[in-house]
Amino acid sequence: VQLQASGGGLVQPGGSLRLSCTASGSFFRINDMTWNRQAPGKQRELVATITRGGTPDYADSVKGRFIVSRDNAKNSVYLQMDSLKPEDAAVYYCNADIMVNRNYEFNYEGQGTLVTVSS
């Protein structure tokens, strides 16, 4: 099982980016999917999570600016980031709780995608 994240880049303050993450491989089902981020010199923090049924939850720092969504048919999770601030700059990682069969669930993490917010 692999998670592939994409969509990072350089954006000016106030701009937008959309991150995507897709799971591939053989598995039974994907449960919760999460975006985390880690800025240089800082601890990794949770940004947003979404249940299989589509219920989202956000860190206070991104509420009202970021939207997490998913497409179960495509095994994908997305993060629409609007009104970006310099403090949003970080490496963004997607995580997923994936049932590899009916009995076992593991947490997988994709490679990070770098988001730079600078004028």
Side-chain angles (χ1 to χ4, degrees), residues 13-109:
S16 298
L17 280 176
R18 185 175 188 249
L19 306 183
S20 300
C21 179
T22 298
S24 62
S26 179
F27 49 85
F28 175 64
R29 186 174 68 202
I30 303 175
N31 291 328
D32 291 358
M33 304 184 84
T34 300
W35 288 98
N36 298 306
R37 67 186 180 187
Q38 187 166 20
K42 294 187 177 181
Q43 288 189 331
R44 189 168 297 192
E45 62 174 349
L46 184 145
V47 177
T49 190
I50 186 166
T51 66
R52 179 170 178 79
T55 301
D57 196 15
Y58 300 94
D60 288 343
S61 60
V62 306
K63 282 181 180 177
R65 300 187 298 119
F66 291 10
I67 297 175
V68 62
S69 61
R70 66 189 287 171
D71 185 333
N72 291 334
K74 295 182 178 179
N75 299 319
S76 295
V77 62
Y78 309 98
L79 187 67
Q80 177 65 41
M81 305 186 295
D82 297 323
S83 303
L84 281 160
K85 304 176 181 179
E87 51 263 43
D88 294 318
V91 177
Y92 283 70
Y93 299 89
C94 65
N95 289 71
D97 294 327
I98 298 178
M99 297 188 70
V100 295
N101 54 44
R102 291 179 182 271
N103 298 310
Y104 294 100
E105 178 185 90
F106 297 97
N107 183 263
Y108 292 87
E109 182 172 272

